[in-house]
Amino acid sequence: MAGAGGGGCPAGGGDFQWCFSQVKGAIDEDVAEADIISTVEFNYSGDLLATGDKGGRVVIFQREQESKSRPHSRGEYNVYSTFQSHEPEFDYLKSLEIEEKINKIRWLPQQNAAHFLLSTNDDLRINLWHLEITDRSFNIVDIKPANMEELTEVITAAGFHPHQCNVFVYSSSKGTIRLCDMRSSALCDRHSKFFEEPEDPSSRSFFSEIISSISDVNFSHSGRYMMTRDYLSVKVWDLNMENRPVETYQVHEYLRSKLCSLYENDCIFDKFECCWNGSDSAIMTGSYNNFFRMFDRNTRRDITLEASRENSKPRAVLKPRKVCTGGKRKKDEISVDSLDFNKKILHTAWHPVENVIAVAATNNLYIFQDKIN
Amino acid sequence: MEVQKEAQRIMTLSVWKMYHSRMQRGGLRLHRSLQLSLVMRSARELYLSAKVEAHEPEMPLPTGRSPDPRLHPPREPEAAAQAAPPDGEPPSPEPMDTQETPRAEETPSRCSPRPAKAGRKRRSSSLSDSGDTGLVPSKKARLEEEEAKETPSEVPDRLQPPPAQAEGAFPNLARVLQRRFSGLLNCNPAAPPTAPPACEAKPACRPADNMLNVLVRAVVAF
């Protein structure tokens, strides 16, 4: 698929291929829950790559510079630092355990005065923190009803606009997105824009509400679009059009007829993330069986790739994968019933400039790059 | 009829999941509880509408909670009808008789594709290459011991009464589940039906089984 990147890659036109670069993590079949990667993020230059896991540990990788003594290590990511970021805490008053899982990592821009960050671990509130003031924050969104029995939705994700520091969005479990302007009022309980696509009544099922819940929302680098991920699809929204997305990409539509089983085994609650490439011409998201999908917004072509140890030879080209959705299964296709729902790719990251991607598969981190690199 | 059975099965499964979610580390999750309740409501609405179409006669409903649901014959259609609030109104936490088979207990555990069956503790591995093992930090002992008992096969352990929580999204549901489920589901049901084949990683939906052996009172907190 074509993906315009920086650094000498051809912009548009002609396919390039993704190659295996590196894999980090143990090969054990039995995976300790603490080692499951829960977030992946490149920094603004792409020279640093951070992962967080369920055990509260953060590992930071740094890209090696070109070296004559190690010619093949150019562009490789090696461990730069690792530390225990969070430990489990116990709130004795409420008899609640606060888990140490790293939900999100966000790198700070190095050279500006952006001193604020959003925290949205709470289902019902969004707080705004000044990085130099740690004992209090601004509560800017609060959707907790007076009577909890009237609760109908929770906040699922949020993010700042990349250029307008007063604008942020948050998504809900009902599949809606609200864009808020912090200049309008201290408590942003009235949105500036409300994005929602009408439900297709023909596809209604027991699980319609669950699969419409948005698991991730991301602004494009340009700031003109935003992308949302629900259970079966990725949608691109134009910030100037609230009544429907401008683009919808089906990630694994073949699962729609399997929602009952996916509810039984809890997979229907999986929260997939999505990401943009540096030029906003392509988007990527994960699926099951360690598959991940890329969609080219210009050519409307898509590709399914797999993160697996079997395809882990250095610079091995990844072969596109295909799921057989009915009829006769062709060679190299995999049937829906053969998919491994234990192997899910929830977290992916795309280098901000180059065609280098990091894909978290349970406790392993795979790094792929395009063949030209 | 099939639609009715499937709706009933999903309702029961949802109640089980809601109960089981209290056992997990961190207790009830608001988002998950909300999603489960939405599925329960959808299933209940479909069940009731299917029932109306079947023209089954309505029977008088119980006014209060029965002391022991095992003593009562299956009455889930009537109780479901009583518990169904009009659309848009907040649901009332009334008890609802629901039939359930022990398969619903075993099924989620068997279907659960949890990759971390060996436990939560981290192994000595790290994301680094072999040359970087010196940078791996040491980890303190965990606070809880219960994780060691939380394996999918140990169903009775997981049905122990959860620790009392001062507050939660559905406090009434929590209290009633704590009283009812711990007593009922620990008992041995008479002649449980044959356990279904494992559905792990098999996305095909199974046909609904007969649900006659174990009566579970479920509180629907909406």
Side-chain angles (χ1 to χ4, degrees):
Chain A
M1 55 165 283
C9 293
D15 293 353
F16 64 82
Q17 293 169 309
W18 288 98
C19 303
F20 171 82
S21 178
Q22 295 171 270
V23 59
K24 310 286 192 184
I27 311 178
D28 291 342
E29 283 297 319
D30 269 343
V31 178
E33 188 172 342
D35 290 331
I36 296 174
I37 300 170
S38 52
T39 185
V40 184
E41 190 80 6
F42 282 100
N43 78 330
Y44 283 84
S45 66
D47 288 330
L48 295 171
L49 175 64
T51 62
D53 63 28
K54 285 191 170 186
R57 185 176 66 173
V58 172
V59 181
I60 300 175
F61 302 90
Q62 186 177 42
R63 201 175 197 188
E64 298 289 341
Q65 300 302 316
E66 186 174 357
S67 159
K68 286 182 182 174
S69 59
R70 296 183 66 196
H72 293 300
S73 70
R74 184 178 74 90
E76 271 190 3
Y77 287 86
N78 293 317
V79 175
Y80 168 76
S81 169
T82 181
F83 56 90
Q84 187 69 28
S85 173
H86 286 70
E87 289 279 5
E89 293 177 22
F90 200 80
D91 184 333
Y92 292 99
L93 187 64
K94 296 180 185 175
S95 290
L96 286 177
E97 188 174 2
I98 302 164
E99 66 173 350
E100 67 279 26
K101 181 182 107 175
I102 308 294
N103 290 320
K104 271 281 189 278
I105 291 176
R106 287 286 182 260
W107 291 89
L108 299 179
Q110 280 183 332
Q111 71 270 11
N112 68 7
H115 295 303
F116 292 91
L117 66 86
L118 287 174
S119 70
T120 53
N121 285 333
D122 195 328
D123 288 310
L124 302 173
R125 298 183 184 93
I126 300 178
N127 296 327
L128 184 70
W129 295 83
H130 190 291
L131 292 181
E132 294 170 14
I133 301 173
T134 55
D135 60 346
R136 58 190 185 277
S137 65
F138 294 107
N139 173 237
I140 56 174
V141 174
D142 188 342
I143 65 169
K144 183 177 180 182
N147 181 1
M148 280 298 283
E149 288 189 355
E150 295 170 11
L151 182 74
T152 58
E153 63 182 334
V154 297
I155 298 168
T156 52
F160 271 126
H161 191 279
H163 308 308
Q164 299 170 36
C165 58
N166 52 295
V167 172
F168 69 95
V169 290
Y170 68 93
S171 60
S172 83
S173 53
K174 273 189 170 179
T176 64
I177 309 103
R178 290 170 175 83
L179 184 142
C180 301
D181 187 335
M182 289 190 283
R183 296 173 304 185
S184 59
S185 64
L187 184 63
C188 300
D189 52 356
R190 286 195 189 154
H191 49 265
S192 301
K193 296 194 180 184
F194 181 76
F195 299 84
E196 184 179 30
E197 183 176 25
E199 185 191 358
D200 177 11
S202 63
S203 62
R204 177 125 187 98
S205 73
F206 291 128
F207 312 106
S208 293
E209 280 114 342
I210 295 185
I211 64 171
S212 69
S213 177
I214 292 173
S215 52
D216 194 19
V217 62
N218 276 316
F219 279 105
S220 63
H221 294 91
S222 66
R224 186 184 161 185
Y225 299 98
M226 64 178 176
M227 169 168 58
T228 58
R229 177 69 156 98
D230 51 62
Y231 188 64
L232 296 179
S233 67
V234 177
K235 297 177 182 175
V236 175
W237 302 77
D238 187 318
L239 295 190
N240 298 317
M241 188 161 74
E242 299 168 50
N243 59 347
R244 62 174 177 83
V246 290
E247 297 156 29
T248 299
Y249 301 94
Q250 301 300 336
V251 181
H252 36 220
E253 182 68 12
Y254 46 80
L255 296 183
R256 190 179 289 275
S257 59
K258 313 293 182 187
L259 294 178
C260 182
S261 298
L262 295 166
Y263 180 69
E264 287 184 35
N265 63 19
D266 282 350
C267 283
I268 204 173
F269 301 108
D270 286 336
K271 295 179 170 53
F272 292 94
E273 294 178 356
C274 52
C275 61
W276 300 85
N277 73 340
S279 62
D280 298 336
S281 65
I283 58 181
M284 172 169 63
T285 189
S287 181
Y288 293 104
N289 208 74
N290 275 358
F291 288 171
F292 57 100
R293 302 261 282 140
M294 291 180 184
F295 302 90
D296 187 308
R297 297 178 62 216
N298 298 323
T299 65
R300 306 300 287 218
R301 289 166 70 169
D302 61 86
I303 192 170
T304 303
L305 299 171
E306 182 182 2
S308 73
R309 290 278 178 170
E310 285 75 33
N311 301 326
S312 300
K313 297 184 179 52
R315 292 177 291 283
V317 174
L318 293 181
K319 196 171 63 172
R321 301 305 306 269
K322 192 151 167 56
V323 177
C324 171
T325 56
K328 195 171 177 189
R329 185 177 70 88
K330 293 181 189 152
K331 187 187 170 210
D332 292 342
E333 285 186 354
I334 181 168
S335 66
V336 178
D337 294 335
S338 303
L339 294 174
D340 187 345
F341 289 86
N342 285 317
K343 296 182 180 175
K344 54 193 83 172
I345 291 179
L346 304 176
H347 312 286
T348 59
W350 206 313
H351 191 284
V353 177
E354 298 178 25
N355 283 323
V356 177
I357 55 175
V359 172
T362 316
N363 65 327
N364 289 164
L365 182 72
Y366 288 83
I367 299 173
F368 302 103
Q369 57 192 28
D370 67 349
K371 201 174 181 186
I372 301 165
N373 237 353
Chain B
M1 193 60 185
E2 282 303 314
V3 169
Q4 212 172 328
K5 277 188 173 180
E6 188 64 14
Q8 194 174 26
R9 190 174 78 84
I10 289 177
M11 277 195 293
T12 314
L13 181 60
S14 302
V15 169
W16 192 95
K17 283 181 181 293
M18 193 173 285
Y19 178 79
H20 174 59
S21 71
R22 292 178 53 82
M23 305 316 233
Q24 70 180 17
R25 189 165 172 247
L28 271 176
R29 306 289 166 108
L30 185 60
H31 188 193
R32 180 67 64 94
S33 303
L34 187 65
Q35 289 175 314
L36 292 173
S37 66
L38 289 171
V39 171
M40 257 197 284
R41 186 176 64 183
S42 297
R44 187 183 62 194
E45 285 171 0
L46 189 71
Y47 177 86
L48 293 176
S49 59
K51 186 152 167 20
V52 165
E53 285 174 9
H55 301 295
E56 288 185 25
E58 300 252 335
M59 290 174 62
L61 301 162
T63 52
R65 294 198 195 103
S66 306
D68 190 345
R70 287 174 291 180
L71 299 177
H72 293 260
R75 278 188 287 142
E76 83 287 351
E78 305 80 55
Q82 184 193 29
D87 277 348
E89 282 187 23
S92 56
E94 291 180 34
M96 181 175 83
D97 285 329
T98 310
Q99 287 176 320
E100 186 191 44
T101 89
R103 181 180 68 79
E105 303 166 23
E106 302 158 10
T107 299
S109 61
R110 197 166 299 156
C111 289
S112 175
R114 305 278 171 229
K117 289 181 185 175
R120 294 187 58 257
K121 288 192 186 238
R122 190 192 304 282
R123 309 205 175 244
S124 58
S125 62
S126 74
L127 287 175
S128 61
D129 297 325
S130 57
D132 295 312
T133 50
L135 292 175
V136 175
S138 61
K139 186 112 175 84
K140 295 183 201 165
R142 304 225 57 86
L143 285 177
E144 286 189 26
E145 297 300 319
E146 286 97 61
E147 283 85 17
K149 293 191 264 179
E150 278 237 273
T151 61
S153 59
E154 294 178 34
V155 172
D157 285 340
R158 290 152 96 216
L159 296 177
Q160 294 301 319
Q165 292 197 0
E167 57 187 42
F170 306 101
N172 292 332
L173 170 66
R175 278 194 286 272
V176 176
L177 285 177
Q178 184 173 344
R179 281 203 300 275
R180 297 296 177 189
F181 273 69
S182 59
L184 291 173
L185 296 179
N186 280 338
C187 71
N188 289 323
T194 309
C199 68
E200 188 168 324
K202 298 286 183 193
C205 230
R206 295 187 306 283
D209 295 339
N210 290 325
M211 291 178 256
L212 294 175
N213 293 318
V214 176
L215 296 179
V216 177
R217 182 185 297 277
V219 172
V220 179
F222 60 91

